[in-house]
Amino acid sequence: MKAIVVTDQAAGTAGMTLAERPEPQAARLASLAGASYGDVLVEVHASGFTPDELTWPSTWTDRLGRDRTPSIPGHEVAGVVRALGYGTTGLSVGQRVFGLTDWTRDGTLAEYAVVEARNLAPLPGDVDFTVGASLAMPGLTAWQGLFEHGRLQAGQSVLVHGAAGAVGSMATQLAREAGAYVIGTGRAAARQAALDFGAQEFVDLDDDTLEDVGEVDLSSTSSAGTSGDGPRD
Amino acid sequence: MSVTGPAEAPPADGLAIDFVVVSDRAQLNEIVQRVRDGRVRANIGTVATLDDAVAALNPTKRVKGKTIIRVRP
Ligand SMILES: NC(=O)c1ccc[n+]([C@@H]2O[C@H](COP(=O)([O-])OP(=O)(O)OC[C@H]3O[C@@H](n4cnc5c(N)ncnc54)[C@H](OP(=O)(O)O)[C@@H]3O)[C@@H](O)[C@H]2O)c1
């Protein structure tokens, strides 16, 4: 199968190449071989890549610390289930799915990917694969930051750094919907996009200073180069 | 709250949390439902094929939103 591979951490995204890689074996998955417990084979339709992925150790070594290059990056996926292993509760062959795959295994910039069933959700028929792939990482990151770790409540204020970015725009929309007051940040050029996604205020990090914002309940950092100041209780 | 690594210094009055996202079927269901009923919209920048992925993931100018590689048309 065709896939994007990386072999050299120092090269960054410039080191990506299009290569031929062995196709995951559907027959092996179905043979109930122990190593594929919980795995499904996904025919990839759309794939997403997160900017910093190639700097994370999970791209280069597996959970036992072994070199796993050449490694296939991109861990956001939308596609169709083509084969099931044992223990793949809730999914069926032919089903449209989307999700975020294990960082320590080969990813989704490829024609096929092996993914744990629990990392996938059904993708409704009226949602395009491109949209599905674009939602997994920003959606889950924003959701977990705001609601799980940040315990955001209606009426609280939240400072969203990089509010026009992939994660930031999702955090802005989800926080607004949850009844929070959203202050977005970013470069001057991002102002209109941040306001369009629902930010009630925008702080231009080129010109304005964060000190003018005053106290906020939750600050979420998803822009490289800025630092947040955590939730206040 | 940080997804770009641990905070350099804890805030004066509060907590600093950094986390790495994990997949979660129930949360994915919540998110996709919001897209279907228009409460949330996706932020997609560039869409490219797998053959053009290397170039698309090495943009020469700033791109807004997510780059998605459409592996099958
Ligand atoms: N820990 C986790 O689980 C996790 C999960 C998801 C993402 N992340 C990380 O979160 C970050 C954001 O990801 P993303 O996909 O949302 O990327 P993105 O779409 O590029 O968003 C980043 C945003 O921040 C802005 N920005 C960057 N540097 C800035 C600066 N110095 N001053 C002002 N604004 C700045 C960017 O604006 P410009 O376009 O103008 O540069 C952009 O709007 C990445 O570092 C990613 O690796 C971590």
Side-chain angles (χ1 to χ4, degrees):
Chain A
M1 65 171 182
K2 282 196 291 188
I4 302 297
V5 298
V6 289
T7 52
D8 175 12
Q9 181 162 11
T13 55
M16 290 177 162
T17 52
L18 184 63
E20 193 58 36
R21 295 294 298 152
E23 200 166 296
Q25 291 304 310
R28 203 183 117 68
L29 208 67
S31 75
L32 310 186
S36 55
Y37 183 86
D39 285 347
V40 304
L41 178 65
V42 177
E43 174 188 273
V44 179
H45 283 247
S47 165
F49 171 79
T50 294
D52 286 348
E53 233 180 278
L54 302 188
T55 67
W56 299 341
S58 47
T59 298
W60 308 102
T61 49
D62 67 14
R63 285 204 164 81
L64 295 174
R66 293 176 305 209
D67 179 7
R68 65 181 201 82
T69 58
S71 129
I72 302 176
H75 289 78
E76 300 144 67
V77 69
V80 175
V81 174
R82 284 298 169 220
L84 300 173
Y86 185 71
T88 51
T89 312
L91 297 182
S92 34
V93 173
Q95 189 170 12
R96 300 170 95 248
V97 289
F98 76 119
L100 184 64
T101 73
D102 188 337
W103 299 111
T104 66
R105 299 176 72 177
D106 271 344
T108 63
L109 284 168
E111 291 179 283
Y112 295 92
V114 176
V115 184
E116 286 122 303
R118 62 177 178 194
N119 288 340
L120 297 168
L123 182 67
D126 57 358
V127 180
D128 190 77
F129 288 118
T130 301
V131 172
S134 80
L135 292 177
M137 178 70 162
L140 291 167
T141 306
W143 189 281
Q144 288 163 27
L146 294 171
F147 306 127
E148 261 185 38
H149 305 295
R151 281 175 258 134
L152 184 70
Q153 303 290 323
Q156 287 187 317
S157 55
V158 50
L159 183 67
V160 177
H161 287 302
V167 177
S169 58
M170 192 59 76
T172 298
Q173 296 180 86
L174 291 174
R176 271 302 300 275
E177 197 220 335
Y181 184 82
V182 177
I183 306 157
T185 80
R187 285 180 240 272
R191 175 183 300 272
Q192 196 52 50
L195 298 177
D196 290 346
F197 281 113
Q200 284 123 312
E201 279 180 49
F202 183 80
V203 179
D204 158 7
L205 294 178
D206 294 328
D207 273 346
D208 306 335
T209 66
L210 275 180
E211 281 67 30
D212 297 339
V213 172
E215 293 249 317
V216 296
D217 297 301
L218 182 67
S219 158
S220 101
T221 297
S222 59
S223 63
T226 58
S227 77
D229 60 356
R232 294 162 197 271
D233 277 326
Chain B
M1 191 67 50
S2 170
V3 291
T4 56
E8 280 139 39
D13 175 24
L15 294 173
I17 298 174
D18 100 273
F19 69 97
V20 175
V21 65
V22 290
S23 203
D24 184 296
R25 191 179 289 171
Q27 291 173 5
L28 288 168
N29 288 338
E30 292 278 356
I31 293 155
V32 80
Q33 199 46 51
R34 281 166 174 72
V35 171
R36 293 178 84 192
D37 61 25
R39 283 178 286 168
V40 164
R41 66 184 158 94
N43 185 1
I44 298 165
T46 309
V47 180
T49 63
L50 191 57
D51 286 337
D52 295 333
V54 174
L57 295 170
N58 284 277
T60 48
K61 51 184 193 329
R62 221 179 269 287
V63 287
K64 294 185 192 353
K66 265 207 95 73
T67 298
I68 296 298
I69 303 307
R70 191 68 200 212
V71 175
R72 285 180 171 77

